[in-house]
Amino acid sequence: MDSAEYERRIAARFANFDQDRNGYIAREDFGTAAKALLAEFGTPARSDKGQSLYIGAEALWQGMAGIADVDGDQRVSRDEFVTGAVKRLRDNPERFAEIARPFLRGAIAVADEDGQGATAEAAERALRALGVAPEAAATAAKALLDGNGRIATEDRVLAAFAAYFTTPEPEE
Ligand code: CA
Ligand code: CA
């Protein structure tokens, strides 16, 4: 990967988190993400699934702020994201799993409409609701299927999520 491609990827990852597109990752972005996901599946915010998702979204924000909000202004700038989040998550993927697990668990539960595990179609809808481009969402959803045609275990989803965000560094 050359550095232009690396820059493009980082920008895309940042945009995934900056849901309201104001140039910063902040608590509101995680609330926006949770709300969009619940709306897509018609899940009430006050339901158990809704509450779990919001709690997971808050935990993800707190974790992100803890590793990346260096100046403590309660928002993560693009610079902080690149130097803080991306690098530190790459150095410590387990930490990332810990931070992201409650949100992902909540999201998987919301997308699991019949209690048998989320279908690829549901996973694709979930990713699109979170702002992932349609083609990337379809590819990611298919990659996460297990032998039963349902979305695989939480650990595999977490691993895929971590892999997506722990972008390799550009080759010189
Ligand atoms: Ca934002
Ligand atoms: Ca900051």
Side-chain angles (χ1 to χ4, degrees):
M1 193 184 327
D2 62 23
S3 58
E5 169 66 8
Y6 179 71
E7 281 296 315
R8 196 190 61 74
R9 279 204 187 202
I10 293 289
R13 303 314 185 257
F14 186 82
N16 284 142
F17 281 112
D18 182 17
Q19 293 269 323
D20 63 9
R21 301 283 190 269
N22 69 347
Y24 291 94
I25 301 170
R27 173 176 279 118
E28 292 74 35
D29 292 310
F30 295 85
T32 300
K35 198 173 164 188
L37 197 58
L38 293 176
E40 174 65 31
F41 290 91
T43 308
R46 288 173 179 277
S47 65
D48 287 349
K49 283 184 180 180
Q51 289 300 298
S52 297
L53 187 67
Y54 274 108
I55 290 167
E58 173 65 16
L60 184 51
W61 159 243
Q62 291 289 343
M64 167 78 75
I67 57 174
D69 181 21
V70 176
D71 64 7
D73 69 349
Q74 293 297 305
R75 51 188 199 176
V76 173
S77 66
R78 206 184 132 120
D79 274 357
E80 286 175 328
F81 182 73
V82 173
T83 57
V86 175
K87 186 178 181 310
R88 293 183 66 180
L89 295 176
R90 187 167 50 222
D91 293 345
N92 191 351
E94 294 79 16
R95 175 84 188 281
F96 187 60
E98 205 178 291
I99 289 168
R101 186 182 294 276
F103 179 73
L104 284 179
R105 179 181 291 159
I108 293 167
V110 168
D112 179 358
E113 296 175 291
D114 62 4
Q116 310 282 310
T119 61
E121 187 257 340
E124 192 180 331
R125 278 168 57 207
L127 290 167
R128 290 177 66 158
L130 294 174
V132 176
E135 213 171 289
T139 307
K142 282 197 194 79
L144 290 172
L145 287 184
D146 66 13
N148 302 322
R150 298 292 176 131
I151 296 303
T153 62
E154 187 177 297
D155 282 338
R156 234 178 101 197
V157 175
L158 259 179
F161 194 69
Y164 178 76
F165 284 103
T166 51
T167 312
E169 289 193 81
E171 286 156 22
E172 295 303 325

